[in-house]
Amino acid sequence: MKRYIIPLLAIASFIYAIDYTITRNPKRGNTVPSAPPPETTSDTTVAAEGLVEPRSENISLSCPVSGLVTKVYVKVGDRVRSGEPLFALDDRELVADLGVRRASLAAYQARLVKLQQAPRPEEVPPAEARVAEAKAQLGDADVQVRLIESVTDRRAVRQEDVERRRLNLQAAQARLDEAEKNLVLTKAGTWSADLAVAQADVDQAAAAVRQDEINIDRLTMRAPVNGIILQNKVRLGQYAQAGILSDPLMVFGAGTGLHVRADVDENDAWRVRPGSPALARLRGNSKISFPLEFVRFEPYVIPKQSLTGNVTERVDTRVLQVIYQFKDPKAAVFDGQQLDIFIETPLGSHREAVK
């Protein structure tokens, strides 16, 4: 039995291995695309790659300072007018500081008003009363001096008393002068230099209030112009970073209608003329096309960037960018969509180049 069983098992294993290999081998067939790629039908056209964008180009919105997002006023697709709020950052610290500075401004303003209204009507009568008192004291001192000087017998009075009464008279005269000058000072009101200092304090406090108000207003990002929200990466509670971001907080588009930015290879750039019409074909279905109108050239020829959205991804050629607009403002395309562009060129220039 060993002479027959072992060879039969070997043959059966070999047959099973062949069958397993054949049945498990993936069958590869030709994949037919849903629509053939677009082709030019004329030797007078220049092919280019196009990217749909708003009239203003894509505006990447950021914030002037970093902070916590506390409010989001818009969503993707919303049309907003210039100055409307988009989102806001946490402003509690600045609001509290603004209250302190407004209180300081109110105190400085009250002090300025007090100085401007000086003297108070109630302050003049006491000053006048002090002048009258000083006059009475001066009169009494004068009487005392005349009395002691009227004594004919110098042995009846001491010379010390005479000198003391004369000094009292001089002191009374000085007090009267002081009271009269204080009365004049009171009636004159506040000195102009003091008013200037008080006004400067008010201006400084008002500037501090305006500074806080501006800083608070800066925490609310607003639409720069009339437009539409194309992309929104802002979420409540998110910490928004200031500056240029690789992934912008919001992408904004201004203007009505869409443009197409066509990248023309530098080798074909000489064939494109201002005003040349073009035809855009939709990728995925080349049967759908849109006629385009020339808008302008971007006069600076730039290194070509592959249309993946990554600005660091480049190829070894340069392109001339030509801006077109859709003849049909209701063309069924989306911002950021890629199109194949075919630009008509003058037949004569092409033939001259061939010759």
Side-chain angles (χ1 to χ4, degrees):
M1 294 180 61
K2 293 181 179 180
R3 295 176 58 185
Y4 296 104
I5 292 176
I6 293 176
L8 289 175
L9 289 175
I11 293 173
S13 299
F14 181 72
I15 294 174
Y16 175 77
I18 294 175
D19 179 70
Y20 182 85
T21 303
I22 294 175
T23 55
R24 296 298 186 273
N25 189 29
K27 296 181 180 180
R28 303 183 182 276
N30 296 328
T31 302
V32 180
S34 58
E39 296 180 357
T40 178
T41 58
S42 172
D43 60 353
T44 63
T45 60
V46 173
E49 294 178 331
L51 187 67
V52 181
E53 64 181 16
R55 288 180 178 268
S56 64
E57 303 181 23
N58 292 328
I59 303 174
S60 298
L61 299 181
S62 183
C63 48
V65 294
S66 302
L68 186 70
V69 178
T70 55
K71 293 180 182 178
V72 180
Y73 299 98
V74 296
K75 59 182 182 297
V76 174
D78 285 351
R79 287 200 169 272
V80 295
R81 300 185 64 82
S82 176
E84 288 189 13
L86 304 178
F87 63 96
L89 304 181
D90 186 9
D91 60 355
R92 289 174 294 179
E93 181 179 358
L94 286 175
V95 169
D97 186 66
L98 177 61
V100 175
R101 298 199 174 189
R102 282 178 173 170
S104 298
L105 174 60
Y108 283 122
Q109 288 175 336
R111 178 171 174 268
L112 177 61
V113 171
K114 175 185 176 182
L115 294 177
Q116 289 173 340
Q117 294 180 353
R120 292 174 52 186
E122 297 85 355
E123 292 177 346
V124 176
E128 292 176 342
R130 284 191 291 270
V131 171
E133 180 184 8
K135 287 181 179 180
Q137 290 176 352
L138 177 62
D140 179 68
D142 183 62
V143 169
Q144 294 298 327
V145 170
R146 283 189 286 106
L147 285 175
I148 200 170
E149 288 179 348
S150 64
V151 177
T152 57
D153 188 0
R154 294 299 178 183
R155 294 174 300 176
V157 295
R158 293 183 304 173
Q159 185 62 29
E160 179 184 355
D161 293 337
V162 175
E163 294 298 330
R164 184 174 297 165
R165 292 191 181 188
R166 288 175 180 173
L167 292 175
N168 288 337
L169 176 63
Q170 295 176 3
Q173 181 63 50
R175 286 193 294 270
L176 175 61
D177 294 341
E178 180 184 7
E180 289 176 343
K181 291 177 180 179
N182 286 336
L183 177 61
V184 172
L185 181 62
T186 301
K187 291 182 177 180
T190 306
W191 187 29
S192 59
D194 290 337
L195 288 174
V197 172
Q199 184 64 55
D201 290 339
V202 170
D203 294 341
Q204 184 177 7
V209 169
R210 287 194 298 271
Q211 181 181 17
D212 270 2
E213 290 174 344
I214 292 173
N215 288 335
I216 291 174
D217 185 68
R218 291 174 66 222
L219 295 181
T220 299
M221 267 41 69
R222 302 181 183 276
V225 291
N226 298 343
I228 185 173
I229 305 299
L230 302 175
Q231 189 181 58
N232 180 18
K233 295 297 182 64
V234 181
R235 302 292 181 268
L236 285 176
Q238 170 187 350
Y239 189 82
Q241 291 285 350
I244 301 176
L245 305 176
S246 58
D247 194 10
L249 298 176
M250 280 190 181
V251 178
F252 186 82
T256 57
L258 296 172
H259 281 177
V260 178
R261 183 176 295 269
D263 288 345
V264 179
D265 192 284
E266 59 183 345
N267 296 319
D268 295 325
W270 62 272
R271 298 173 57 189
V272 181
R273 297 288 184 269
S276 299
L279 186 69
R281 294 188 180 275
L282 199 64
R283 290 193 174 182
N285 189 351
S286 59
K287 295 181 180 179
I288 301 177
S289 60
F290 307 97
L292 304 176
E293 292 180 343
F294 177 84
V295 176
R296 68 178 186 276
F297 284 120
E298 293 284 343
Y300 182 66
V301 178
I302 64 172
K304 182 179 180 181
Q305 300 175 359
S306 61
L307 302 176
T308 61
N310 189 350
V311 296
T312 62
E313 197 168 333
R314 293 187 171 185
V315 292
D316 296 332
T317 187
R318 301 179 75 86
V319 292
L320 171 68
Q321 293 189 324
V322 189
I323 309 300
Y324 284 91
Q325 66 181 358
F326 293 95
K327 287 187 176 180
D328 182 9
K330 298 182 180 180
V333 293
F334 298 96
D335 183 26
Q337 191 171 4
Q338 299 182 42
L339 303 175
D340 293 302
I341 311 298
F342 299 95
I343 304 172
E344 294 293 335
T345 60
L347 182 60
S349 61
H350 178 71
R351 290 178 176 175
E352 290 175 2
V354 172
K355 290 179 182 180

